[in-house]
Amino acid sequence: MLLWTGDTYRSFAVDTLNNSVGGTVNFFVRSRVAQDYGDKVTPIVNEWSRLGSLVKSFQENDQTRMKAELNILSNASQVVQGELALIETIAYDTGFTQLATSDTDLGASVTDDPAIMEYLKTREKADARKPVTYMWSTPSGKPVFSTIVPVGGFRAVGFMEVITDPLPTLTGIGKVLGGNFRILGNDGNVLFESLENGEASEGGQALPETSDSEAPAPTETEAPTGEIHRATVDLTIGDGRNGIWAKATFDRDITGFYAQTDDLRALSTELLVAVLLVGWVAGWLLLRTTVFRNLRAFARAMTAISKGDTNVDLPRVGTDEIGDMKKALIDLRESVRQAMILQNMVENTPTMTALITPEGDLTYLNASAQSYIGGNAGSVSGDFLKVGPEFQTKLANPDNLPFTEIVRTERDHLELLAAPVRDKDNILLGTMLAWNVVTLREESRIAVSEMMAEVARVAQSVTEQSEGLLGLARDLTTQSENTVDQSGNALDVSRDAASNTQNVATAVEELSSSIAEINRQATDASNVTNRARTEAEESQRNIVSLEKASSEIGSIIDLINDVAHRTKLLSLNATIEAERAGELGRGFAVVANEVKSLADQTANATGQIGDLTAAIQQEVKKAAHSISTVGEVIHQVNDIQSTITHSVDEQRRATSEISENVQRIAAGAGSMDQLIRFVNDGAQSTGHSAHDLNTASRELSDMARNLSERMKEFSERMKLT
């Protein structure tokens, strides 16, 4: 009974372990082939489908050239270097009619499956532009992998199926699972094997027959005590479409388990011998109702934990060895839970994380890192972040760990954190490399630095411009003071001109009175002819006085002309100074132009007065000549009297016009005096404005210097930051 119980327990445990192995092997194989291998093959096949010569053969429907292009793919670098094990390539038109195949014709294709062919033909255009992958097996039972991609990229001119051997990607699976893993063909030959010692090979040898060929799978190889015990299980690996992709076997060493069961059986024997006489029935019932049930519950719990279920319930047991097993299983469950929590945290964290072995091999990338790099740990290696050999050298030296560094790559600015990963014995297991993209922050920092430099340059420019403005304000102040002085001199000259013009007006009035007197005397000449000579002499004296007055009028006119000329020069100088003053002197320029216009009018008026004075002088000369001969031609007095009367009338009118012109000149001189006063007031106002401009320029210069100094301080603070 004891031996039967031990054998039953051992068989049950082996069956439980073998059942869990089936699901584990299927998961590992499909994960490596369908996901990792598919992610590796798809970019390569996509690259082949865009080769210009291949696309052209499809466009021209040249099947001979198409076949040659398919054969050329066997010489691609990925195939020659062993990165990809190419078996066959097949060309299809857009309706999935087969056009050509490479020389290595399998005689079969994944499109032989009607369901797959129907799906490929009825896909939407958007789906047809995407590659699809399938796991399937040839009629001989060889598991292969097909990748179907559109030829020509976005505008597909056909499709290409690339059939490859994915078995090399399973290398090392035996070591991972702790046993020997073999894939078999339909004839029983070994197509691929991966041993628990890490060796792997592809071959065609048949498996040796087991000693118990009639035993159903899974089977157990019996061996004498002291020899190695191995458990073998036959597996079927699915293709993901409820079909079989490959037939496999898996065997592993269970010698330790045998030793434990033997020890347990021996202990049970001792216990049963001790209580055989008093409780063999109770012991058998206890074993049946507690041990087996608990072991089955433990087996189910272990299976669930191996699949990631950390909430599985454990049976209630006592404080014996089964209780110790429960405690160990509880610790195992908690460890698995913590490991899964940590794995999920690392996998889902937005910080991109990688794990590198001490030998420099990349073994892990979390989801965000895979998305950033565009591949998984199996498809990238070396300097996968493109950070340069110096960083790689620094990362490879454990003495440099941990460290943080910001580097610039071809794509982004990265903030890198390298930290060692050690076990409980402080042995280095690898290096964790975490990074974040800080391009926006670094570009902002660079932009702020450039902006500060630009503001500093602007502040320096403002300082220089304010210094120039300050000099200009000083020059404007000086020019305003000169303008005030010159306008004061012009005001004095204008007043002198007004006084002289008043004198001319008085002389002209006196001349007008003299002419009126001559007119009266000429009128009475007919009545006092006897006094003609006497009056003639008096007239001669008056004529002499008139000539002197005419000469004085000419001198006054010259003085007025000189004043008008000087006023014109002053207005010209005022115009020039107003131009120099710029915007502030614009009003002053208008005043200067008005002064110039009045000076021109004065010059014209004095010219007219000169002409009239010349005419008067000529008439006076004529009168003097007539009076000098009056004694000789007294008998012609009556005739000459009318002529004299007419001439005197002309002189009276001319004198009246001279008087009016002189009055206008006097009025113009008064206006000129007011204008010059206005110019003087404007010059003084300009002086005040120039003084205010000088003060504002000095304040602007001080503010520019302060701004420049503060920008320097801010720049130093930014550098320190």
Side-chain angles (χ1 to χ4, degrees):
M1 178 64 74
L2 182 61
L3 294 175
W4 178 84
T5 302
D7 291 339
T8 302
Y9 166 72
R10 185 163 57 192
S11 299
F12 169 75
V14 170
D15 291 343
T16 302
L17 291 174
N18 285 338
N19 290 334
S20 65
V21 165
T24 304
V25 171
N26 261 284
F27 171 76
F28 270 92
V29 172
R30 285 189 50 77
S31 175
R32 285 202 176 185
V33 175
Q35 183 175 350
D36 297 343
Y37 184 75
D39 293 342
K40 174 183 176 182
V41 171
T42 301
I44 298 174
V45 177
N46 268 330
E47 180 182 352
W48 290 354
S49 68
R50 289 178 171 84
L51 294 175
S53 56
L54 178 63
V55 174
K56 188 173 182 181
S57 67
F58 271 83
Q59 291 174 340
E60 296 176 354
N61 197 22
D62 187 347
Q63 298 182 8
T64 302
R65 182 177 178 184
M66 199 179 299
K67 182 179 182 67
E69 293 294 334
L70 296 179
N71 288 327
I72 290 174
L73 295 179
S74 62
N75 296 321
S77 60
Q78 297 88 346
V79 178
V80 174
Q81 296 173 4
E83 185 178 353
L84 192 67
L86 180 63
I87 297 176
E88 182 185 5
T89 50
I90 305 174
Y92 301 93
D93 62 10
T94 54
F96 274 92
T97 299
Q98 191 175 112
L99 300 178
T101 63
S102 60
D103 291 339
T104 54
D105 189 359
L106 286 176
S109 167
V110 71
T111 57
D112 295 340
D113 187 337
I116 294 177
M117 177 61 80
E118 180 66 20
Y119 167 73
L120 294 175
K121 287 182 178 181
T122 58
R123 286 185 299 173
E124 298 291 337
K125 290 184 177 180
D127 293 333
R129 300 189 186 103
K130 301 177 183 178
V132 291
T133 58
Y134 294 101
M135 296 170 59
W136 62 286
S137 61
T138 64
S140 63
K142 179 178 177 60
V144 294
F145 189 87
S146 284
T147 305
I148 300 177
V149 294
V151 177
F154 185 78
R155 295 183 178 179
V157 295
F159 295 89
M160 179 174 66
E161 178 183 0
V162 178
I163 305 174
T164 56
D165 181 5
L167 297 182
T169 196
L170 299 178
T171 301
I173 192 172
K175 185 176 182 180
V176 173
L177 297 176
N180 298 326
F181 173 76
R182 296 180 178 89
I183 293 180
L184 310 177
N186 291 342
D187 54 1
N189 289 335
V190 178
L191 302 178
F192 174 82
E193 67 177 0
S194 177
L195 306 181
E196 61 183 335
N197 60 6
E199 296 180 0
S201 64
E202 291 188 67
Q205 299 180 355
L207 283 176
E209 294 184 359
T210 61
S211 58
D212 188 6
S213 58
E214 296 180 356
T219 63
E220 176 185 325
T221 303
E222 297 290 345
T225 304
E227 295 184 0
I228 298 175
H229 297 269
R230 304 190 68 84
T232 302
V233 58
D234 295 330
L235 307 170
T236 56
I237 301 174
D239 59 4
R241 302 184 303 280
N242 298 322
I244 297 176
W245 180 64
K247 297 179 180 179
T249 64
F250 182 77
D251 67 90
R252 63 196 179 283
D253 185 3
I254 58 173
T255 304
F257 177 75
Y258 264 71
Q260 292 178 358
T261 56
D262 288 341
D263 293 340
L264 180 62
R265 185 165 57 183
L267 178 62
S268 300
T269 302
E270 295 174 359
L271 293 175
L272 284 175
V273 169
V275 298
L276 181 62
L277 297 177
V278 292
W280 68 270
V281 174
W284 183 84
L285 293 175
L286 179 65
L287 183 66
R288 178 73 181 221
T289 57
T290 59
V291 176
F292 288 166
R293 183 184 63 189
N294 291 334
L295 288 178
R296 288 190 182 93
F298 284 162
R300 288 193 296 270
M302 292 174 65
T303 302
I305 292 173
S306 68
K307 294 180 180 180
D309 183 7
T310 59
N311 295 317
V312 62
D313 294 328
L314 300 179
R316 295 180 180 180
V317 296
T319 58
D320 54 5
E321 289 79 1
I322 302 298
D324 295 337
M325 291 178 61
K326 179 179 179 180
K327 292 179 182 178
L329 194 58
I330 290 174
D331 294 338
L332 176 63
R333 182 180 63 181
E334 186 62 26
S335 298
V336 171
R337 178 184 291 115
Q338 295 300 325
M340 292 181 64
I341 292 173
L342 292 176
Q343 181 181 3
N344 288 331
M345 289 175 60
V346 174
E347 185 68 20
N348 297 316
T349 181
T351 299
M352 292 157 278
T353 307
L355 182 63
I356 303 172
T357 66
E359 293 77 20
D361 297 329
L362 180 65
T363 60
Y364 173 76
L365 288 171
N366 67 352
S368 57
Q370 292 184 21
S371 176
Y372 179 79
I373 295 175
N376 53 28
S379 62
V380 297
S381 62
D383 188 9
F384 57 92
L385 289 179
K386 309 300 181 185
V387 293
E390 294 182 359
F391 182 85
Q392 293 295 111
T393 303
K394 183 177 180 181
L395 184 65
N397 188 356
D399 296 335
N400 296 327
L401 303 177
F403 67 88
T404 302
E405 187 174 340
I406 296 177
V407 299
R408 170 70 182 273
T409 67
E410 297 176 356
R411 292 173 54 186
D412 299 300
H413 289 83
L414 300 180
E415 184 177 19
L416 299 171
L417 168 63
V421 179
R422 303 181 185 275
D423 61 7
K424 63 179 181 178
D425 298 325
N426 202 31
I427 297 175
L428 182 65
L429 301 178
T431 301
M432 182 196 72
L433 181 63
W435 68 93
N436 288 304
V437 178
V438 293
T439 303
L440 181 61
R441 188 187 73 188
E442 288 299 307
E443 289 181 351
S444 299
R445 183 183 63 80
I446 294 172
V448 169
S449 299
E450 293 177 352
M451 183 187 69
M452 288 191 299
E454 183 65 22
V455 171
R457 287 194 294 271
V458 171
Q460 183 64 28
S461 177
V462 170
T463 302
E464 295 174 356
Q465 294 295 330
S466 62
E467 292 292 341
L469 185 61
L470 183 60
L472 179 61
R474 290 171 181 170
D475 294 340
L476 180 61
T477 301
T478 303
Q479 293 175 2
S480 299
E481 293 174 354
N482 294 334
T483 302
V484 171
D485 294 339
Q486 293 179 3
S487 61
N489 296 332
L491 182 60
D492 294 337
V493 174
S494 175
R495 290 173 179 173
D496 292 341
S499 178
N500 293 331
T501 304
Q502 188 63 37
N503 294 333
V504 172
T506 302
V508 170
E509 290 179 356
E510 292 177 355
L511 177 60
S512 178
S513 300
S514 300
I515 292 174
E517 181 64 22
I518 293 171
N519 187 27
R520 185 181 61 80
Q521 291 178 359
T523 303
D524 294 340
S526 59
N527 299 323
V528 288
T529 53
N530 54 347
R531 298 172 56 188
R533 186 175 298 276
T534 302
E535 294 296 335
E537 293 176 354
E538 183 65 24
S539 297
Q540 184 68 29
R541 288 192 297 270
N542 290 333
I543 289 299
V544 172
S545 299
L546 183 59
E547 287 179 348
K548 292 180 180 181
S550 297
S551 298
E552 292 177 358
I553 291 173
S555 299
I556 292 171
I557 290 172
D558 292 338
L559 178 59
I560 293 174
N561 282 329
D562 182 59
V563 170
H565 179 68
R566 291 174 62 187
T567 302
K568 187 174 181 180
L569 291 176
L570 288 174
S571 66
L572 180 60
N573 289 333
T575 302
I576 295 173
E577 294 300 328
E579 289 295 330
R580 291 181 179 177
E583 187 67 24
L584 295 175
R586 182 171 296 177
F588 188 66
V590 175
V591 174
N593 289 331
E594 291 295 330
V595 171
K596 180 181 178 183
S597 176
L598 289 176
D600 291 337
Q601 293 179 6
T602 301
N604 293 332
T606 52
Q608 293 177 1
I609 291 173
D611 294 339
L612 293 175
T613 304
I616 291 172
Q617 289 177 350
Q618 291 178 359
E619 294 298 328
V620 167
K621 290 179 180 179
K622 289 180 182 179
H625 178 70
S626 299
I627 293 172
S628 63
T629 57
V630 69
E632 299 176 357
V633 289
I634 194 62
H635 58 281
Q636 298 178 355
V637 169
N638 290 328
D639 296 334
I640 295 172
Q641 181 62 40
S642 59
T643 301
I644 292 173
T645 302
H646 179 70
S647 297
V648 170
D649 289 336
E650 291 293 334
Q651 289 178 0
R652 182 179 58 78
R653 285 194 295 273
T655 303
S656 177
E657 291 177 0
I658 291 172
S659 178
E660 292 176 357
N661 289 330
V662 169
Q663 291 295 332
R664 283 196 295 270
I665 291 173
S671 300
M672 186 183 299
D673 182 74
Q674 294 178 357
L675 290 174
I676 293 175
R677 287 180 181 176
F678 181 77
V679 170
N680 191 3
D681 294 339
Q684 292 178 355
S685 177
T686 302
H688 293 311
S689 299
H691 181 268
D692 294 339
L693 177 61
N694 192 357
T695 303
S697 300
R698 187 176 295 105
E699 292 177 355
L700 177 61
S701 179
D702 294 338
M703 291 172 64
R705 290 193 187 96
N706 292 334
L707 176 61
S708 180
E709 292 175 357
R710 291 190 177 183
M711 287 307 302
K712 291 180 180 178
E713 294 176 358
F714 183 68
S715 178
E716 293 297 329
R717 290 169 57 191
M718 287 298 295
K719 291 179 179 178
L720 292 176
T721 302

